[in-house]
Amino acid sequence: MPLPPLVEPIAALSDEERTRTARHARLHRLGEIGQRRIAAAHVAVVGAGGLGSPVVLALAAAGVGTLTIIDDDVVDLSNLQRQVMHRLSDVGAPKTDSAVRVAGELSATRVLPVRERLTPENGARLLAGADLVVDGSDEFSSREAVASACENLGVPLVWGTVQEFAGQVTVFWSRPPEPGVATRLSDLYAPGSEAPACSAVGVFGPLCLQVGALMAGEALKLVTGVGEPLLGRVLLIDALASTQREIALRPARAAAAAARPATTDAPVDTVPEVDEPDDRAVLDVREADEVAVAACPGALHWPLAAVLADPTVIEGPVVVVCQVGARARVAARALRAAGVEAWVLAGGMDAWTRRHAAPATAGAAS
C-alpha cells in the first residue's frame, strides 16, 4: 500500500545536482520534488559489508543528503568477494573509510562515519536524527539491537538478509502512518533466533548486490512516497532458481494477544522443540547441497522459500529441521499459522548428527 512521503523536500537543488540526477527528475511520480525529498533525507546504514556496500553506493548515487554509516570492522581480504565498496588497497583499513571515499566520488552526500558496534545500550543514540534505518548487519544479536532501537524511535527499518543462495527483504515499522500496519522483527523471527554465519555456510556474492539494491530502493520509496514499500510483505529471493516471491507478514503480537485470555503472560510466537522426531514426519528446509551432505532418514526435502510460498502443501504433524534451527523456526511458524502441527528439531542437523554419531571405539594406548 502507498504511504505518505517520509521527509519534506529541500527548497531547491543546486544546478550541478539537478543535472546529475536528471534521470530521476524524468521519472513519473518521482520527479524533481521526489529528488528534493531524497536530498533532504538522513539515512542511517548499519553495516558496511555485503549488504551495506551496495546500499551506500546506491543511496549516495541517488543523492541522499546525509548518510550515517555505522560499522566497527576493518576490511578483510575475504570480504572482497561480495563487499563491492572496498578495494584490495583497503584491506586492514576501517570499512567506514571506504564509505566516505566512494560517496565523495559519487555525489555531494554528507557521510557521517561511526566506528562503533551498535548495541542495545547505544542503539537509540547512534540512530537518533535519522529519518529511516537500513540494516545490513550480519549477526542476529545486532539485528535485534537495531530493530529495538528503531521500534523505540518510531522510524522505519529497511531490513535484509542473505545466506548461501537465499535472500529476504522487508520493511519493519512500529508506528507507520495510515494505512500502514505495524510490523516488527519479532513478527518474522522469534527473539534470540540464530543463523549460521556466512563464514560457515557461504554466501553467493552477486546476491548481496541484488538484495542491497532492493533495500536501497525500499529506502528511496519510503523517503519519496513513491510506490508500495514492503511493509507487511517479505520478499524471498532464490538466486539458484532465479525467482522472487513474497509472503504476507502479519503482526504476531496482535494476533497472539487476540487469541489468548487477557490475564495470560505466555510468551508470544513460541515454537516447540523436540530432540527426536519419534513417529512424526521430518521436513528438511535446507538447500539441496546441504541435504546431500547429511540428512535425517526419510526426511521430506522442501526448501524454506518453497514452504513460505505455500505452507498449506505440507501435511502435519511434522518436525522441521535445518542446519542449526533458525530457518526451521521460520518455517514452523508459517506452518502453524496455516494450521499445520509443527515442531522444530532442537539444534538442527548439527545437533542431530552429534546425538547420532557412532561412539568412538576404545583402542589400546600407544
Side-chain angles (χ1 to χ4, degrees), residues 197-247:
C198 64
S199 58
V201 298
V203 62
F204 189 46
L207 181 62
C208 293
L209 279 73
Q210 182 179 3
V211 172
L214 289 166
M215 294 168 71
E218 290 301 301
L220 295 177
K221 286 157 58 181
L222 287 164
V223 165
T224 60
V226 170
E228 299 189 14
L230 283 168
L231 182 65
R233 299 180 292 145
V234 183
L235 186 65
L236 307 172
I237 301 102
D238 183 338
L240 282 180
S242 298
T243 60
Q244 291 189 21
R245 291 172 281 188
E246 70 173 52
I247 58 170

Side-chain angles (χ1 to χ4, degrees), residues 26-292:
R26 292 190 176 93
L27 287 173
H28 176 61
R29 298 176 60 191
L30 194 148
E32 185 187 6
I33 190 169
Q35 188 59 46
R36 288 194 278 125
R37 294 186 194 277
I38 293 171
H42 179 181
V43 178
V45 181
V46 183
L51 295 178
S53 287
V55 168
V56 170
L57 290 168
L59 294 183
V64 166
T66 302
L67 287 176
T68 293
I69 314 296
I70 303 169
D71 196 302
D72 69 337
D73 202 4
V74 298
V75 179
D76 184 82
L77 184 61
S78 65
N79 298 152
L80 303 185
Q81 163 254 5
R82 65 201 178 279
Q83 300 184 15
V84 295
M85 188 165 60
H86 313 299
R87 302 292 180 262
L88 283 169
S89 58
D90 295 323
V91 171
K95 291 184 177 180
T96 51
D97 288 0
S98 303
V100 172
R101 183 188 69 244
V102 300
E105 293 172 347
L106 284 168
S107 69
T109 294
R110 182 173 65 131
V111 177
L112 306 177
V114 178
R115 286 204 64 198
E116 288 188 58
R117 183 180 185 82
L118 192 143
T119 66
E121 293 72 31
N122 66 17
R125 172 176 62 84
L126 297 185
L127 300 178
D131 297 306
L132 67 85
V133 177
V134 181
D135 186 5
S137 57
D138 59 1
E139 293 184 4
F140 200 83
S141 59
S142 296
R143 295 172 190 165
E144 287 187 310
V146 174
S148 177
C150 289
E151 288 177 25
N152 292 332
L153 293 168
V155 298
L157 170 61
V158 178
W159 187 91
T161 182
V162 290
Q163 189 176 88
E164 300 169 286
F165 294 94
Q168 298 177 10
V169 182
T170 190
V171 172
F172 301 119
W173 201 346
S174 60
R175 298 196 289 272
E178 295 290 344
V181 176
T183 56
R184 301 168 173 84
L185 176 62
S186 57
D187 296 326
L188 182 61
Y189 286 95
S193 294
E194 297 177 3
C198 64
S199 58
V201 298
V203 62
F204 189 46
L207 181 62
C208 293
L209 279 73
Q210 182 179 3
V211 172
L214 289 166
M215 294 168 71
E218 290 301 301
L220 295 177
K221 286 157 58 181
L222 287 164
V223 165
T224 60
V226 170
E228 299 189 14
L230 283 168
L231 182 65
R233 299 180 292 145
V234 183
L235 186 65
L236 307 172
I237 301 102
D238 183 338
L240 282 180
S242 298
T243 60
Q244 291 189 21
R245 291 172 281 188
E246 70 173 52
I247 58 170
L249 180 62
R250 295 177 294 181
R253 295 182 185 182
R260 68 178 188 265
T263 56
T264 255
D265 290 323
V268 173
D269 201 26
T270 300
V271 178
E273 294 186 343
V274 296
D275 290 328
E276 294 295 335
D278 297 327
D279 58 348
R280 291 163 289 205
V282 177
L283 173 66
D284 195 324
V285 296
R286 297 175 298 157
E287 299 301 319
D289 58 332
E290 296 174 279
V291 174

Side-chain angles (χ1 to χ4, degrees), residues 308-323:
L308 295 179
D310 188 5
T312 62
V313 302
I314 305 298
E315 294 184 4
V318 65
V319 175
V320 189
V321 61
C322 65
Q323 200 63 38

